[in-house]
Amino acid sequence: MLSSKFFLLGLGLTAALPGAAQQSDYPIQAVPFTKVKLTDSFWLPRLKTNTDVTIPASFARCESTNRVKNFEMAAAHSGKFATTYPFDDTDIYKTIEGASYSLSVYPDKKLDAYVDELIKKVGAAQEPDGYLYTARTIDPAHPHHWAGQERWEKERELSPEHYNAGHLYEAAVAHYEATGKRNLLDIALKNADLVCSVFGPGKRSVAPGHEIVEMGLVRLYRVTGQAKYLNTAKFFLEARGQYKGYDPKSNDTWKNGSYWQDHKPVVAQTEAVGHAVRAEYLYSAMADVAALTGDKPLLAAVDSIWNNMVSKKMYVTGGPGAAGDGERFGANYELPNATAYNETCASVADVFWNERMFQLHGDSKYVDVMEKVLYNGLISGVGLDGKSFFYSNALQIKSLESYHDTEPARSGWFECSCCPTNLARLMPALPGYVYAQKGRSLYANLFVSGKADLTVNKHKVQLIQSTNYPWDGGLKFTVDPAQSSADFDLLVRIPGWARNEAMPSNLYTFEQPSAQQTTIKVNGKPVTYQMQNGYAVLSRKWRKHDVVEVSLPMEIRRVHANPLVKDDRGKVALQRGPVVYCAEWQDNNGKASNIIVPADATFTAAYQPNLLNGVTTLTATVPVVQLDASGTSVSTAPRTLTAIPYYAWANRGKGEMTVWFPEKVTSLDLLSQPTAAGVSAGK
Ligand code: FUB
Ligand code: ZN
């Protein structure tokens, strides 16, 4: 994320872009994560846990589950592929990527040396022409059964050679940026040179079955300035929708090609479809290529797809990808709660995609969605211990009997362990999502305490943000120009939730508009401000120690889903600030499926420092449904409902959980479940 110029010079490479690529880019640039030092009490402990626990645990798992051994065997050209999936190489690449980001913030000689040793193993597994895929190289005569006899033969549907390459490129650039070392970058470039020499106009063509090579190639383009990488990324995008073997009339996602986003040319795609992680990596790459080439049809397509997802295919927690069958987006408004798939990787991909959409358009709605994902559906993916993970993120655990619907508890690792390693790489990069800039505008996107060193409108400025977000709505920015003053615009995002917008679409709405307003003071005096694309614009000649105080109204909001979402009809969800809540068995007499939240329930918010590493809980007295001992009669009784942030569920054992609460008994899901109050789930 450091400036391309620096790296181009560092590599001794030319910045000239021969070929078709134009020298445009995202109009808005993120402030690199290395320039933003967090002091935040919500995020910093999570980043620290990622560094201290998640990354070492991931490397240890890569060793103990034979992922590293696969590379060793590929180097020796002997043995038998020792893991399950041909994309298992990527867990090593993703963990190296995470470790690299972490190293640039927390230098660690031991980790640095360990990563170098791993890189040696990766390099040793690379074939002389650059090909790198342990699933074939270990024993080319007997490759993994997904791989096909020949290189790339099954790339379209089954063999993730390009997917592995994409993660390698991402890791290599991160590692180069963090350490200045070329060891992994050289391996990646050698592989990419091979890919570019084999695939392209007049050469071989394929729509990569699992996207990410496109994003990876763009990163290589940015770091080297070599147009062939960008051109090949564009070529792969344009290869979609060309395969003649699909049946366009079929509704079957595998038969019509939509599972791979290969059913139509990318510029003709309008809906988020198919495997959610693949899809969002594709959409991220579409944004990248549109930004770099000025391709308007591509931009229009990615805009439509985003609107479709945000209007019809996203959970209230920000989770995308409802259907477990194919790990894919469901149909419009198909958002079941108990079977919600919501792969953690899909939330990671969502962060990548929304950041890019923001950089293209400068509208806060993209950051609103990203924030929703970050505080809810993404961090639910990792336990508070930093080493247990959800692959899927349900919105409801109905009862012990329904556990087969989805995961009721996190696991240390998975046979297909994409999610833990994807989190390992996203977390340390989080500071890079806090601020962005364009010309004289400095965007404050996320509310995270810390210190940023910036150059804005040619002025060196230090910006200190202090906040207790997401528990409090108070934000304080101290502006400290290096010179006596600095003339620029500070654009503070006023989140959708503080503007009576539960979602930038009509998929979710707040029951009541809030009467409370956001207020902004500069140096203690209230100021009026213009709103622009969801940002309060504060234009000034900033002087040393100028202080901006923003007060966002932190109310408890009742959220309703569009009535077309069948599962949420007659139900309400609870949100405070960006945080969506759930009720879990632990706090509610062993059950969550019997709770009614009537329209007149009155909630109180209270911060609980000793609960779940410190959370604000919501409580109210509400009716709960009780069955009599014979199971023949139902009554309700008042009881205290305690709701916790959704992200914190399942940290205290297994049991019932719900995000959506029936408002009336008639909307209760589980009158048929004969489980008594006090189910000893998880005990
Ligand atoms: O195929 C690689 C990864 O494994 C995908 O991104 C996940 O959805 C899982 O299928
Ligand atoms: Zn995953």
Side-chain angles (χ1 to χ4, degrees), residues 66 407 436:
N66 290 332
E407 293 163 78

Side-chain angles (χ1 to χ4, degrees), residues 117-276:
E117 281 308 305
L118 264 187
I119 292 173
K120 264 193 211 146
K121 292 182 184 178
V122 172
Q126 185 167 38
E127 297 191 19
D129 65 355
Y131 186 77
L132 184 47
Y133 190 54
T134 66
R136 185 184 309 284
T137 305
I138 291 172
D139 182 0
H142 305 96
H144 188 283
H145 61 283
W146 287 12
Q149 272 318 116
E150 301 298 325
R151 291 176 176 185
W152 302 294
E153 184 192 331
K154 293 195 173 178
E155 168 60 41
R156 185 181 53 77
E157 76 280 40
L158 215 47
S159 180
E161 281 145 294
H162 287 338
Y163 171 70
N164 287 15
H167 273 302
L168 169 68
Y169 306 163
E170 296 245 312
V173 175
H175 182 256
Y176 174 68
E177 289 183 358
T179 63
K181 292 189 238 181
R182 291 191 59 134
N183 43 352
L184 191 57
L185 185 63
D186 285 340
I187 296 168
L189 292 175
K190 193 169 172 188
N191 181 268
D193 290 345
L194 172 70
V195 169
C196 294
S197 72
V198 173
F199 293 89
K203 296 182 264 183
R204 204 164 161 158
S205 179
V206 71
H210 193 317
E211 298 89 331
I212 204 175
V213 71
E214 306 82 352
M215 290 167 77
L217 283 165
V218 167
R219 287 193 78 172
L220 291 183
Y221 162 70
R222 288 184 195 287
V223 86
T224 63
Q226 289 195 41
K228 67 177 173 187
Y229 302 129
L230 173 60
N231 292 340
T232 307
K234 191 167 187 289
F235 176 79
F236 283 141
L237 295 186
E238 289 167 354
R240 293 193 173 270
Q242 311 298 332
Y243 179 63
K244 302 285 178 258
Y246 297 126
D247 174 5
K249 295 206 182 91
S250 172
N251 285 330
D252 182 328
T253 186
W254 283 279
K255 290 193 178 141
N256 64 27
S258 63
Y259 173 77
W260 299 275
Q261 301 78 42
D262 199 12
H263 54 306
K264 289 180 187 171
V266 274
V267 289
Q269 297 195 21
T270 52
E271 286 200 23
V273 291
H275 185 278

